[in-house]
């Protein structure tokens, strides 16, 4: 997936930048050119698109997340396929900011720690999102700091219970439908 920037998938999504790579694919920031909004595209590795098992897991992830409607869980907008490029992808909310892992690592490099109150609030918000998913029959199975995005608080909306961001659970790639 080299040289992917600028490509338009499914006549709708213009790829802008690579955000990260994982076992099943890569995540890109893109623009929905029809709605003029930023989105995240989780694109399956091209060599896996013909693998029935991986297609099934990818579809399961999309369906699992799409069934959830919680402010602490990334929202899925669509499942797409670009036949010209031979790609299968999930269209999700683009969450600006950084992962919990990146934030904690940066704090450690600055010889700082997360305050107890902030730590407890982050854990509380993530637990609420996971509880909601579990109540809907979806088990994440890969919860870790790298799979928690920190969405900055919109100043106009006020602070999120004492922390300057909202933790958003993402990457349900190993999700299991209970």
């Amino acid at each position: 997936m080299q040289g992917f920037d600028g490509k338009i998938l499914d006549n709708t999504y213009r790829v802008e930048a690579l955000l990260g790579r994982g076992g099943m694919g890569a995540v890109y920031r893109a623009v929905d050119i029809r709605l003029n909004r930023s989105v995240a595209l989780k694109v399956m590795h091209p060599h896996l698109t013909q693998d029935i098992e991986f297609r099934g897991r990818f579809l399961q992830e999309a369906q699992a997340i799409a069934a959830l409607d919680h402010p602490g869980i990334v929202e899925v907008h669509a499942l797409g396929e670009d036949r010209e490029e031979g790609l299968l992808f999930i269209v999700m909310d683009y969450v600006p900011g950084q992962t919990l892992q990146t934030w904690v690592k940066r704090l450690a490099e600055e010889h700082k720690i997360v305050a107890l109150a902030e730590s407890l609030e982050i854990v509380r918000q993530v637990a609420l999102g996971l509880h909601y998913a579990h109540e809907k029959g979806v088990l994440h199975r890969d919860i870790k700091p790298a799979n928690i995005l920190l969405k900055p608080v919109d100043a106009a909306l006020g602070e999120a219970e004492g922390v300057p961001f909202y933790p958003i659970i993402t990457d349900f790639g190993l999700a299991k439908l209970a």
Side-chain angles (χ1 to χ4, degrees):
M1 287 187 270
Q2 297 289 10
F4 219 49
D5 292 359
K7 285 207 182 282
I8 297 180
L9 301 180
D10 199 25
N11 296 314
T12 306
Y13 307 102
R14 185 180 62 248
V15 177
E16 293 192 329
L18 176 68
L19 298 174
R21 294 185 190 279
M24 288 177 64
V27 179
Y28 295 89
R29 186 183 73 241
V31 172
D32 180 330
I33 55 180
R34 293 180 181 164
L35 297 175
N36 193 30
R37 69 174 173 184
S38 292
V39 295
L41 298 181
K42 182 170 185 177
V43 181
M44 179 186 279
H45 289 309
H47 68 279
L48 299 175
T49 60
Q50 301 305 316
D51 184 317
I52 300 299
E53 182 180 331
F54 268 85
R55 283 181 76 93
R57 285 182 59 200
F58 200 76
L59 178 60
Q60 179 179 343
E61 176 184 2
Q63 291 173 335
I65 305 170
L68 304 176
D69 182 18
H70 187 277
I73 298 173
V74 70
E75 185 177 347
V76 168
H77 299 296
L79 179 65
E81 186 168 9
D82 190 294
R83 295 185 194 277
E84 284 183 29
E85 297 287 335
L87 299 173
L88 186 64
F89 56 92
I90 299 172
V91 183
M92 301 175 284
D93 268 348
Y94 169 68
V95 179
Q98 59 192 327
T99 67
L100 179 58
Q101 177 180 345
T102 301
W103 182 62
V104 169
K105 183 179 177 184
R106 184 179 52 79
L107 287 177
E109 288 169 354
E110 296 172 0
H111 304 290
K112 297 178 182 176
I113 61 171
V114 181
L116 179 59
E118 285 182 321
S119 296
L120 292 173
E121 185 55 28
I122 292 165
V123 170
R124 185 186 77 80
Q125 288 185 34
V126 170
L128 288 171
L130 289 173
H131 174 72
Y132 172 83
H134 292 174
E135 288 290 314
K136 296 294 184 179
V138 178
L139 307 177
H140 191 287
R141 299 195 326 170
D142 193 27
I143 198 70
K144 59 187 178 185
N147 289 340
I148 299 169
L149 301 172
L150 302 179
K151 181 179 182 177
V153 171
D154 184 334
L157 298 176
E159 205 166 282
E161 302 293 328
V163 292
F165 46 73
Y166 295 102
I168 308 291
I169 302 166
T170 190
D171 198 359
F172 281 70
L174 299 176
K176 180 175 182 174
L177 302 177

